[in-house]
Amino acid sequence: MMTWRISIRLSTTTRRSSFGLRGKLLRIMPRLFLFQGFAIFFWTGENGEPIHVHVAKGRPSPNATKIWLTRNGGCVLASNGSRLTKRELADVMDFIMVNYGYICRRWREYFHGDISFYK
């Protein structure tokens, strides 16, 4: 049986969500934004991968949509596990590009290091 823990407030703009299985903590997901009902967050334990965000409607999930950030300030869809529509994807990807600098800064802070980019 999966149990969900309540989001914990980190700052005025960031929340951290976690969920556990029978009381065991599995993951901490720092939420960067809540945009049009979509949580945009980092999934912990992926600090060896190029910079990317996950997008889920409502609660973060392991199979959420994954979007890579590119060196030139763009982004690329890696997978659409949340099954966003084309319109939703376009809106979310535009939002990510507008907030590119903030996302990169938060990645460095959260994963304690340099950033590698997709392509």
Side-chain angles (χ1 to χ4, degrees):
M1 177 174 171
M2 183 160 295
T3 58
W4 292 92
R5 293 187 186 190
I6 298 172
S7 293
I8 302 167
R9 189 176 190 127
L10 289 179
S11 70
T12 57
T13 58
T14 305
R15 289 184 177 266
R16 202 177 253 198
S17 301
S18 62
F19 63 90
L21 182 62
R22 296 191 178 118
K24 292 184 179 181
L25 184 64
L26 295 179
R27 296 280 187 185
I28 302 292
M29 287 79 61
R31 188 173 78 190
L32 303 169
F33 306 102
L34 186 59
F35 173 73
Q36 296 181 351
F38 294 99
I40 300 173
F41 58 96
F42 296 144
W43 191 266
T44 60
E46 295 186 326
N47 51 331
E49 292 188 38
I51 185 171
H52 62 278
V53 294
H54 296 267
V55 181
K57 187 75 168 179
R59 292 187 179 137
S61 68
N63 59 345
T65 295
K66 187 175 191 176
I67 299 173
W68 299 101
L69 277 69
T70 61
R71 185 172 306 281
N72 65 357
C75 56
V76 175
L77 179 65
S79 68
N80 191 9
S82 298
R83 297 184 177 139
L84 279 66
T85 65
K86 287 182 181 183
R87 180 76 241 151
E88 290 169 334
L89 274 172
D91 289 347
V92 167
M93 291 175 83
D94 285 346
F95 182 81
I96 288 168
M97 287 187 287
V98 167
N99 291 283
Y100 178 89
Y102 176 78
I103 294 168
C104 290
R105 182 171 56 81
R106 290 305 313 261
W107 182 276
R108 280 189 192 101
E109 290 170 1
Y110 190 78
F111 293 112
H112 309 289
D114 295 329
I115 295 177
S116 63
F117 290 93
Y118 177 83
K119 294 190 176 186

